[in-house]
């Protein structure tokens, strides 16, 4: 796939506050890229720079080979991109259809007849054909967000920028809209750049995940890579639950932690190098203490619906274990971990 968006050495300051720090990122045409990070990580500022709602302090944003500038950013936005925000920003005194027509007539200078035709087409795509004459107050939150999405599609954008678009919806509606957005992206082959703070949403919606913290990109990769091979402790903790413990890489494919030597699949470390070991909660097998590689004392058990979450004391570390079988608080359990379930990180990356 050809590059649709290139971000080169981008920096953004608000006064003395350095919000984006030398960001370099490429988005392929037709790609679904999701940016995730905690509040203040810079993800929303970055997506706003892509649409030139925020002007970069330095660096460059290139859209389909053309750099964005003060002079051309409005023309480029009309030609290439649309933005969907968390807030629906619908005009309460206008019908659904007229909300979608308005920008076409005012900004794109389309005739009333053409704007109406396109509005009906886009509202049909998002499943609102029977509600085009409703007022926004007559719609659910999910339906209002569909109107906002339909409005963003009227200029037939090649890039759809979505800044926390489902943040105002409840969990059920969020999941429904995730499926709807994925369907639209697949059918229209639009390049998606999507901002969220929701870990599950990031993994569900993306071809590529960009994890941000402190104005920097911490890791870029597929959802599977981000989850299974976190680059540092921040990514391991932020994307899903992780057990992160100190260990020593004895030699290639052999690590010691928790008082036991384990076979692993990592290599390239110095002999006896101090490392950090990452094990996901679902990758720990509970066995009788007599046959466990590690033993731990169960401190707390929480029912999570599809599994039990157990907090277990192992050699002074609190481990989290997910299992469909619950042990009891105060019970001593054995724990086995396979080589593929052990991920090694350099201590300096913490």
């Amino acid at each position: 796939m050809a590059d649709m968006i290139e971000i080169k050495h981008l920096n953004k300051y608000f006064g003395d506050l350095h919000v984006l720090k030398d960001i370099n990122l490429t988005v392929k045409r037709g790609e679904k890229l999701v940016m995730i990070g905690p509040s203040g990580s810079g993800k929303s500022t970055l997506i706003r720079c892509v649409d030139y709602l925020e002007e970069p302090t330095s660096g460059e944003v290139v859209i389909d080979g053309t750099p964005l500038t003060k002079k051309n950013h409005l023309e480029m936005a009309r030609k290439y991109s649309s933005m969907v925000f968390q807030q629906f920003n619908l005009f309460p005194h206008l019908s659904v259809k007229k909300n979608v027509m308005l920008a076409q007539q005012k900004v794109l200078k389309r005739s009333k007849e053409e704007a109406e035709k396109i509005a009906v087409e886009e509202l049909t795509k998002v499943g609102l054909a029977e509600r085009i004459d409703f007022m926004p107050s007559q719609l659910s939150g999910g339906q209002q967000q569909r109107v906002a999405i339909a409005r963003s599609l009227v200029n037939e954008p090649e890039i759809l920028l979505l800044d926390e678009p489902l943040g105002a919806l409840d969990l059920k509606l969020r999941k429904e809209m995730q499926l709807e957005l994925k369907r639209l992206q697949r059918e229209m082959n639009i390049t998606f750049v999507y901002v969220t703070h929701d870990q599950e949403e990031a993994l569900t919606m993306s071809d590529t995940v960009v994890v941000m913290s402190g104005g920097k990109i911490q890791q870029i990769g597929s959802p599977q890579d981000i989850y299974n091979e976190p680059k540092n402790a921040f990514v391991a903790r932020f994307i899903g639950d992780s057990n992160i413990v100190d260990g020593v890489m004895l030699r290639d494919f052999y690590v010691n932690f928790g008082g036991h030597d384990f076979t692993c699949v990592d290599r390239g470390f110095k002999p006896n190098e101090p490392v950090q070991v990452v094990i996901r909660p679902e990758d720990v097998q509970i066995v009788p203490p007599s046959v466990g590689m590690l033993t731990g004392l169960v401190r707390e058990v929480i029912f999570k619906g599809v599994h039990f979450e157990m907090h277990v004391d192992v050699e002074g570390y609190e481990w989290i274990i997910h299992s469909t079988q619950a042990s009891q608080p105060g019970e001593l359990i054995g724990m086995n971990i396979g080589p593929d379930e052990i991920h090694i990180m350099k201590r300096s990356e913490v």
Side-chain angles (χ1 to χ4, degrees):
M1 293 185 289
D3 293 344
M4 191 72 226
I5 304 170
E6 294 177 85
I7 299 170
K8 303 177 181 179
H9 300 290
L10 190 140
N11 288 273
K12 177 64 181 179
Y13 285 85
F14 290 111
D16 294 331
L17 184 61
H18 197 178
V19 178
L20 295 175
K21 303 172 183 177
D22 195 36
I23 299 294
N24 292 277
L25 181 63
T26 299
V27 186
K28 301 293 184 183
R29 189 182 302 274
E31 185 175 15
K32 299 189 295 293
L33 183 140
V34 176
M35 295 188 286
I36 186 169
S39 297
S41 61
K43 57 189 186 298
S44 289
T45 301
L46 179 54
I47 200 174
R48 289 173 66 85
C49 285
V50 172
D51 207 38
Y52 226 80
L53 295 173
E54 298 289 351
E55 183 180 353
T57 304
S58 64
E60 191 173 49
V61 177
V62 180
I63 305 295
D64 199 22
T66 302
L68 284 181
T69 66
K70 281 185 179 180
K71 291 184 178 180
N72 74 1
H73 73 274
L74 288 176
E75 177 188 349
M76 292 288 286
R78 289 173 187 173
K79 180 178 179 181
Y80 284 104
S81 64
S82 286
M83 175 85 84
V84 180
F85 300 93
Q86 179 175 340
Q87 300 302 320
F88 312 136
N89 296 323
L90 302 180
F91 292 98
H93 61 288
L94 296 179
S95 69
V96 165
K97 181 173 66 178
K98 289 182 178 179
N99 262 281
V100 180
M101 290 174 60
L102 184 63
Q104 298 184 69
Q105 294 176 276
K106 297 293 185 181
V107 179
L108 301 177
K109 306 302 181 183
R110 289 173 177 162
S111 68
K112 178 182 178 182
E113 292 75 17
E114 184 183 13
E116 183 173 14
K117 177 177 178 292
I118 292 173
V120 172
E121 289 174 354
E122 299 303 337
L123 287 165
T124 300
K125 287 179 185 176
V126 298
L128 292 177
E130 297 180 359
R131 289 175 168 78
I132 60 175
D133 294 318
F134 282 36
M135 303 301 286
S137 61
Q138 296 175 291
L139 303 181
S140 68
Q143 290 169 338
Q144 290 183 52
Q145 188 59 292
R146 289 170 189 249
V147 177
I149 292 167
R151 183 177 57 191
S152 72
L153 298 175
V154 296
N155 65 330
E156 299 180 338
E158 294 187 52
I159 302 167
L160 192 59
L161 307 170
L162 304 106
D163 188 6
E164 301 273 8
L166 310 183
L169 306 181
D170 62 39
L171 180 61
K172 184 175 183 295
L173 284 176
R174 284 176 74 99
K175 292 187 177 297
E176 290 177 359
M177 286 304 300
Q178 286 172 16
L179 294 175
E180 185 68 24
L181 286 169
K182 290 187 75 171
R183 180 188 66 80
L184 283 171
Q185 194 277 339
R186 183 175 61 253
E187 292 179 357
M188 302 178 72
N189 197 31
I190 299 176
T191 302
F192 264 35
V193 180
Y194 192 107
V195 166
T196 183
H197 64 273
D198 185 283
Q199 303 161 17
E200 182 182 351
E201 190 165 273
L203 299 176
T204 299
M205 298 294 295
S206 61
D207 300 320
T208 302
V209 179
V210 177
V211 184
M212 296 188 65
S213 177
K216 297 181 179 180
I217 293 175
Q218 300 294 318
Q219 187 170 352
I220 302 172
S222 69
Q224 294 85 356
D225 288 342
I226 294 291
Y227 188 82
N228 294 321
E229 298 290 334
K231 183 178 179 181
N232 56 38
F234 173 82
V235 176
R237 291 191 176 102
F238 192 77
I239 303 296
D241 293 322
S242 292
N243 299 295
I244 304 177
V245 298
D246 292 333
V248 176
M249 197 69 182
L250 302 173
R251 58 182 184 273
D252 286 349
F253 312 122
Y254 216 52
V255 64
N256 178 281
F257 61 92
H260 188 92
D261 295 342
F262 290 83
T263 302
C264 63
V265 297
D266 294 87
R267 59 182 298 177
F269 295 84
K270 297 176 183 177
N272 298 313
E273 179 178 346
V275 295
Q276 289 220 310
V277 183
V278 180
I279 299 102
R280 294 293 186 180
E282 65 272 18
D283 290 334
V284 180
Q285 180 186 6
I286 298 176
V287 297
S290 60
V291 297
M293 297 173 175
L294 301 175
T295 57
L297 185 66
V298 179
R299 297 295 189 187
E300 188 174 6
V301 179
I302 303 168
F303 180 58
K304 292 284 189 174
V306 295
H307 64 259
F308 293 92
E309 178 177 289
M310 290 173 282
H311 294 248
V312 181
D313 186 293
V314 182
E315 296 285 328
Y317 286 94
E318 182 182 279
W319 285 56
I320 298 174
I321 300 175
H322 293 168
S323 175
T324 56
Q325 301 295 320
S327 301
Q328 299 302 314
E331 183 179 349
L332 189 67
I333 62 171
M335 301 156 54
N336 284 343
I337 307 160
D340 290 333
E341 278 67 57
I342 298 170
H343 174 61
I344 309 298
M345 301 186 303
K346 287 185 176 292
R347 190 76 65 88
S348 60
E349 293 182 349
V350 178

